[in-house]
Amino acid sequence: MTSSSQFLRYGIIGVGMMGCEHIRNLKAIDGCAVVAFADTHETSRSNAKRLVGKATSYVDYREMLATEQLDVVVIATPNHMHRSVFEDVIKLDMHVLVEKPLGINVAECQIMIAAKDQHHKPGRVVWVGLEYRYMAPTSRLIDEVNSGTCGEVKMIAIREHRFPFLQKVDNWNRLSKNTGGTLVEKCCHFFDVMTLIAKSRPVSVYASGAQDVNHLDEIYGGLRSDILDNAYVVVDFANGVRGMLDLAMFAEGSKNEQEICVVGSTAKIEAMMPESVVRIGKRESRRDGVVEISVSQASEVVAGFHGGASYLEHRAMQNAIRKGLEPVVTLEDGLLSVAVGQAAHLSIAEKRIVSIDEISR
Ligand SMILES: NC(=O)c1ccc[n+]([C@@H]2O[C@H](COP(=O)([O-])OP(=O)(O)OC[C@H]3O[C@@H](n4cnc5c(N)ncnc54)[C@H](O)[C@@H]3O)[C@@H](O)[C@H]2O)c1
């Protein structure tokens, strides 16, 4: 459906914070342009217009889809709208990047996968915006794991210690019914990275967490904000690898926002962001032998909010489109990352181990 040299015309649905990050990154890539965008919110539309003045602005995304000749559509609306927008887009002959989380629960993700299969178009690339794997230290850590630096992977610990959720248009992210819950909305990124490193399917989850500090007094439409702000999540993979997420969203006083630590049979590898450092420590070399490597993105990579990861994500997706390759980040990856988050929320609510099969039926 797309030739190797074809100029790619993009339409963006939802041009809030993330939609504008996509626009900024696409502007920096040759051979493509954002020709249209749609958003129901006037301020978001005018922010996008400032970034990409020549693009046509729409209020109704369906009108944009019916009017414009688009090759690629990016869906960057709030989480609870991904499914319905995706169902409209997937019927058309366009490549699609849908932001994470794929849906707010596994059932939605399953509906989206069925819609993709039903409207199958040869050569069409359908991609999920799980771009953390493209952050420079993370991708270096993944390369080291894949080249055998730590032997057989046994343990993967990811710590995210950061600031509270940012304010979003109409405060959609303050209620779990819109986001899927913090462990779906935010942490699907980390469950995706964990699954990628483990090279296996997550099978069960145990979690402890709560909303203890943030947004406790906020009311939206008569509903109190109910978004969890700290948790420990333990994930068992089918091949015996163990994963753990440590999330704190009231930890601004942290040197790093994300730290990934993989321990294998022969060595330990750590990645730190934004410090942009990877540390490798072989068991035989002990503490004095730990090697510290400074890792940053190549200079042509645009540093958006995600350290250049969105730029690399678009480059990788365009490569797949132009060469007729399979997507690197599939809807199935999107589903698994949501499944672990959903299982973790259920585990917290019911104080028990939850199997991924149980929530995937
Ligand atoms: N991949 C990442 O790292 C990353 C980071 C941040 C956000 N996101 C995801 O991107 C999506 C958007 O998040 P955000 O931070 O930009 O939120 P946001 O509130 O800043 O922007 C969402 C935009 O969607 C618009 N919108 C709502 N309904 C619409 C409709 N029917 N048609 C068109 N536009 C509509 C809103 O008006 C708003 O401008 C979410 O799914 C979020 O989880 C991904």
Side-chain angles (χ1 to χ4, degrees):
M1 75 193 265
T2 307
S3 72
S4 58
S5 58
Q6 190 183 329
F7 190 85
L8 297 174
R9 294 158 298 187
Y10 279 75
I12 317 285
I13 304 177
V15 284
M17 191 215 87
M18 198 59 204
C20 285
E21 177 166 331
H22 285 299
I23 292 175
R24 275 191 211 95
N25 283 289
L26 289 165
K27 275 173 68 178
I29 299 176
D30 290 337
C32 69
V34 174
V35 298
F37 57 81
D39 199 302
T40 45
H41 196 254
E42 194 183 344
T43 309
S44 296
R45 288 196 305 278
S46 52
N47 289 342
K49 197 73 186 165
R50 270 199 293 280
L51 287 175
V52 65
K54 285 190 186 154
T56 311
S57 168
Y58 292 84
V59 175
D60 184 343
Y61 74 86
R62 291 190 185 90
E63 192 190 340
M64 178 185 88
L65 294 173
T67 312
E68 298 286 335
Q69 291 271 310
L70 301 173
D71 302 300
V72 190
V73 173
V74 176
I75 301 172
T77 56
N79 302 356
H80 59 301
M81 293 174 186
H82 289 181
R83 181 185 60 75
S84 57
V85 176
F86 181 86
E87 285 181 309
D88 287 333
V89 175
I90 204 73
K91 291 176 188 150
L92 308 170
D93 195 10
M94 298 164 186
H95 306 283
V96 190
L97 187 157
V98 54
E99 261 307 335
K100 67 82 206 161
L102 178 58
I104 59 170
N105 54 40
V106 170
E108 280 204 341
C109 298
Q110 288 169 333
I111 291 169
M112 294 165 84
I113 290 173
K116 182 203 68 167
D117 292 344
Q118 184 190 346
H119 300 288
H120 171 74
K121 309 252 177 336
R124 185 215 316 250
V125 173
V126 182
W127 192 289
V128 184
L130 287 163
E131 82 287 357
Y132 277 32
R133 48 172 92 191
Y134 292 109
M135 284 185 184
T138 308
S139 103
R140 174 63 184 265
L141 175 142
I142 292 169
D143 287 348
E144 294 289 346
V145 168
N146 290 344
S147 60
T149 302
C150 66
E152 232 178 281
V153 172
K154 297 294 176 193
M155 303 169 77
I156 307 162
I158 301 184
R159 165 177 288 168
E160 179 165 72
H161 281 191
R162 55 165 275 179
F163 47 90
F165 277 119
L166 299 173
Q167 193 135 17
K168 299 291 172 180
V169 174
D170 294 333
N171 297 302
W172 64 268
N173 66 344
R174 294 301 198 254
L175 297 172
S176 293
K177 71 182 175 76
N178 298 333
T179 67
T182 303
L183 299 172
V184 170
E185 142 69 5
K186 169 79 232 161
C187 304
C188 59
H189 277 304
F190 304 119
F191 300 135
D192 176 61
V193 168
M194 248 183 222
T195 304
L196 186 67
I197 294 170
K199 294 194 179 69
S200 182
R201 285 182 71 81
V203 289
S204 64
V205 176
Y206 180 73
S208 170
Q211 180 184 16
D212 283 330
V213 176
N214 298 338
H215 319 299
L216 292 171
D217 301 325
E218 298 177 14
I219 308 280
Y220 301 98
L223 298 172
R224 194 179 75 77
S225 173
D226 63 347
I227 49 174
L228 170 152
D229 56 26
N230 71 104
Y232 292 118
V233 180
V234 174
V235 185
D236 279 309
F237 288 87
N239 62 358
V241 169
R242 268 180 264 296
M244 191 191 75
L245 175 74
D246 161 359
L247 174 75
M249 297 194 67
F250 39 86
E252 289 89 336
S254 304
K255 184 152 187 179
N256 285 299
E257 197 171 310
Q258 290 105 14
E259 298 180 353
I260 305 178
C261 173
V262 177
V263 189
S265 51
T266 59
K268 168 172 162 174
I269 312 174
E270 295 171 282
M272 315 283 173
M273 285 132 306
E275 227 179 336
S276 277
V277 162
V278 169
R279 281 193 210 114
I280 300 174
K282 303 254 184 206
R283 291 178 70 188
E284 68 212 17
S285 313
R286 305 182 77 91
R287 188 168 297 144
D288 290 345
V290 174
V291 175
E292 190 163 299
I293 306 157
S294 187
V295 187
S296 44
Q297 301 284 17
S299 57
E300 79 272 13
V301 175
V302 177
F305 292 114
H306 297 95
S310 300
Y311 176 93
L312 294 173
E313 169 186 52
H314 280 296
R315 295 294 296 257
M317 182 174 176
Q318 293 184 356
N319 185 51
I321 291 172
R322 294 206 167 94
K323 294 187 177 157
L325 305 174
E326 292 296 315
V328 175
V329 193
T330 64
L331 295 196
E332 289 73 15
D333 294 328
L335 181 149
L336 273 186
S337 66
V338 167
V340 177
Q342 187 182 338
H345 277 293
L346 184 59
S347 173
I348 290 167
E350 299 188 356
K351 294 195 180 298
R352 65 180 177 89
I353 297 170
V354 174
S355 80
I356 296 297
D357 279 352
E358 174 185 341
I359 56 161
S360 305
R361 277 184 210 119

